[in-house]
Amino acid sequence: MKAIQTEEIIGLLAKERGISPDTAVYEQIRQWKAWWRGDYPPFHRFFEQDGRGGRTQRRLYSLRMAKKVCEDWAGILLNEHTCITVADSPSALFLQGENGEGGLLEDCRFWQRANALVEEAFCTGTGAILLHLQNMRVQQGRLLPDRRTGITLQYIGAQGIFPLSTENGEITEAAFCSETLHQGKKLCCLEIHTLGERGYCIENRCFEEKRGALRETGLPPGIAARLETGSRLPLFAVIRPNTVSTLGSGGLGESVFAQALDALKGVDLAFNNFCRDFQLGGKKVFYRRSLLCDTPDGGLLAPDDICQQLFVSIGEGMPDEPPLIQEHNPALRVQENIDGLQAQLDYLAFRCGLGSRYYRFDSGKVITATEYAGQRQELMRNFSKHCLSLRRSIAAALRMMLWAGREALGEPVDPETPICIRFEDSIITDRESERQRDRADVVAGLLLPHEYRMKWYGETEEKALHMLSQTP
């Protein structure tokens, strides 16, 4: 979202609701986004003297590692192996379909979009999933069940999240702002979620940017101006890295690389030096003035410019005079640059919680899975820590989808059903060794067979017991 829109929304909330979000937080978020794009002008833009008294603007070469870090965390935490088990069968069918790969999650492209939101949240510190109902039936502000109602999800980064109330660090009320395109017009849509005695209330407003300012306009068709949900279950779920924010207690989180900005600078400085060495490392040939020809316009013409191979020089010259032609071959310093860049990458990975050896470019070295897992101890600890927060956020998103299925569509689903979310960690752990240990525990009677099936096949307790009863 544009800076002008952020400022306008903050001004609107301050005027109408008497709150004053910290604008410095959103300036910090814009800085994180610039690093994520790999172009933070105060650092990546610089000037060089051009030899004629003027200055030429240059751009620092960037490896864009801020985006890579966020991409890697999103891929580690939320991928195609993430398993969701819903205890209530109608609820499981509604969310995931008969084969576990359909249902409302597939209709909303949940896995694809949620993975992108995790990347966004780890960049900006916070992300949110909003539930939207299309063509819903509303009577006196209350929702009526109708199977023609459509359920969609909206994904918003921290620059569009404005906390109104928090409880124990968790956002309980908030305004969410997003950009949309309706009939060729760019609209700024504002949703305000507040909690009252009868549950959550959602207000919708739309604005159009004119002459650098936001002007309120009508809502697009199918969107209610006000909705009383009648439920204390919020229709938004917040995703944040599970780290303590240094920004204060405003409810917004902190970028996963917020404490690694100097390490990001170090990586780009090392990478820039590497690229500049190649750029400036071409052969330099210096000619004596006697080998250059004058051109009619007052310029000089080098021998190579006229493809001539026979030249005549009068006299042998003095013994202490330099030769007619000298070569200069700058050193590329390849290994020194590789070592310097690798060291900076190690520092960056360490500060972002990935472990100091996550980004390695060693060639010809083969390690075992056990050695690999041993090098990933720090990553494993941080993976487990982030899973604690992400598991709760995904569960909240699933429950609000079940609420919509029951209240908006009239489906026989249960928003309070137990939900188990299992994250796949085989990329950083030796899963086969763990599975062998669990098999041994089953044989020794330390682990029940149905518990083994629940863990490794993602089955509910009821289904695991049923499958075991069918085994001869």
Short mmCIF file of all heavy atoms in Angstrom, two decimals, residues 52 61 72 77 180 185 214 223 373 379 419 438 444 447:
data_model
loop_
_atom_site.label_atom_id
_atom_site.label_comp_id
_atom_site.label_asym_id
_atom_site.label_seq_id
_atom_site.Cartn_x
_atom_site.Cartn_y
_atom_site.Cartn_z
N ARG A 52 35.54 14.91 -14.52
CA ARG A 52 35.36 16.24 -15.11
C ARG A 52 34.69 17.20 -14.13
O ARG A 52 34.08 18.18 -14.52
CB ARG A 52 34.51 16.13 -16.38
CG ARG A 52 35.17 15.34 -17.50
CD ARG A 52 34.33 15.37 -18.77
NE ARG A 52 33.04 14.74 -18.57
CZ ARG A 52 32.83 13.42 -18.75
NH1 ARG A 52 33.83 12.62 -19.10
NH2 ARG A 52 31.63 12.91 -18.56
N TYR A 61 25.59 -3.38 -6.58
CA TYR A 61 25.10 -4.72 -6.92
C TYR A 61 24.49 -5.35 -5.66
O TYR A 61 25.04 -5.23 -4.56
CB TYR A 61 26.22 -5.60 -7.43
CG TYR A 61 26.68 -5.27 -8.83
CD1 TYR A 61 27.78 -4.45 -9.04
CD2 TYR A 61 26.03 -5.79 -9.94
CE1 TYR A 61 28.22 -4.13 -10.32
CE2 TYR A 61 26.45 -5.49 -11.23
CZ TYR A 61 27.55 -4.65 -11.41
OH TYR A 61 27.96 -4.36 -12.68
N ASP A 72 12.85 -18.74 1.94
CA ASP A 72 13.28 -20.00 2.54
C ASP A 72 12.50 -20.32 3.79
O ASP A 72 12.12 -21.47 4.02
CB ASP A 72 14.78 -19.94 2.83
CG ASP A 72 15.62 -20.03 1.57
OD1 ASP A 72 15.07 -20.44 0.53
OD2 ASP A 72 16.81 -19.67 1.61
N LEU A 77 8.48 -23.67 6.51
CA LEU A 77 7.36 -23.74 7.44
C LEU A 77 6.07 -24.25 6.80
O LEU A 77 5.34 -25.05 7.41
CB LEU A 77 7.11 -22.35 8.04
CG LEU A 77 8.18 -21.84 9.00
CD1 LEU A 77 8.00 -20.36 9.28
CD2 LEU A 77 8.14 -22.64 10.30
N THR A 180 -7.77 -2.72 -4.41
CA THR A 180 -8.47 -3.59 -5.34
C THR A 180 -8.79 -2.82 -6.61
O THR A 180 -8.77 -1.58 -6.62
CB THR A 180 -9.77 -4.14 -4.71
OG1 THR A 180 -10.35 -5.12 -5.59
CG2 THR A 180 -10.77 -3.02 -4.48
N LYS A 185 -11.12 0.96 -11.91
CA LYS A 185 -10.82 1.96 -10.87
C LYS A 185 -10.06 1.30 -9.73
O LYS A 185 -10.45 0.23 -9.26
CB LYS A 185 -12.10 2.59 -10.33
CG LYS A 185 -12.84 3.47 -11.32
CD LYS A 185 -14.05 4.10 -10.66
CE LYS A 185 -14.80 5.00 -11.62
NZ LYS A 185 -15.98 5.62 -10.97
N LEU A 214 -7.47 10.58 -0.49
CA LEU A 214 -8.51 9.56 -0.56
C LEU A 214 -9.88 10.20 -0.38
O LEU A 214 -10.08 11.00 0.54
CB LEU A 214 -8.28 8.49 0.51
CG LEU A 214 -7.02 7.63 0.36
CD1 LEU A 214 -6.95 6.62 1.50
CD2 LEU A 214 -7.02 6.91 -0.98
N ILE A 223 -21.08 -6.31 -1.26
CA ILE A 223 -20.38 -6.06 0.00
C ILE A 223 -21.29 -5.25 0.91
O ILE A 223 -21.78 -4.19 0.53
CB ILE A 223 -19.06 -5.29 -0.24
CG1 ILE A 223 -18.11 -6.13 -1.11
CG2 ILE A 223 -18.39 -4.95 1.07
CD1 ILE A 223 -16.80 -5.46 -1.39
N ALA A 373 21.88 -32.96 9.60
CA ALA A 373 20.98 -32.60 10.70
C ALA A 373 21.76 -31.97 11.85
O ALA A 373 21.29 -31.04 12.51
CB ALA A 373 20.22 -33.83 11.19
N LEU A 379 18.68 -24.10 13.27
CA LEU A 379 17.51 -24.00 12.40
C LEU A 379 16.36 -24.83 12.95
O LEU A 379 15.21 -24.39 12.92
CB LEU A 379 17.89 -24.47 10.99
CG LEU A 379 16.75 -24.60 9.98
CD1 LEU A 379 16.01 -23.27 9.81
CD2 LEU A 379 17.28 -25.07 8.63
N ILE A 419 -8.53 -29.57 15.83
CA ILE A 419 -7.76 -29.47 14.59
C ILE A 419 -6.29 -29.71 14.92
O ILE A 419 -5.75 -29.07 15.83
CB ILE A 419 -7.95 -28.10 13.92
CG1 ILE A 419 -9.41 -27.90 13.50
CG2 ILE A 419 -7.04 -27.95 12.72
CD1 ILE A 419 -9.69 -26.52 12.94
N ASP A 438 10.50 -44.77 16.22
CA ASP A 438 9.10 -44.94 16.60
C ASP A 438 8.64 -46.37 16.38
O ASP A 438 7.84 -46.91 17.17
CB ASP A 438 8.23 -43.97 15.81
CG ASP A 438 8.33 -42.55 16.33
OD1 ASP A 438 8.98 -42.36 17.37
OD2 ASP A 438 7.76 -41.63 15.70
N ALA A 444 8.44 -52.27 21.36
CA ALA A 444 8.74 -52.34 22.79
C ALA A 444 7.54 -51.99 23.67
O ALA A 444 7.62 -52.10 24.89
CB ALA A 444 9.90 -51.40 23.11
N LEU A 447 5.07 -47.07 22.49
CA LEU A 447 4.21 -46.26 21.63
C LEU A 447 3.11 -47.16 21.08
O LEU A 447 3.39 -48.26 20.57
CB LEU A 447 5.03 -45.66 20.48
CG LEU A 447 4.29 -44.72 19.52
CD1 LEU A 447 3.92 -43.42 20.24
CD2 LEU A 447 5.16 -44.41 18.30
#
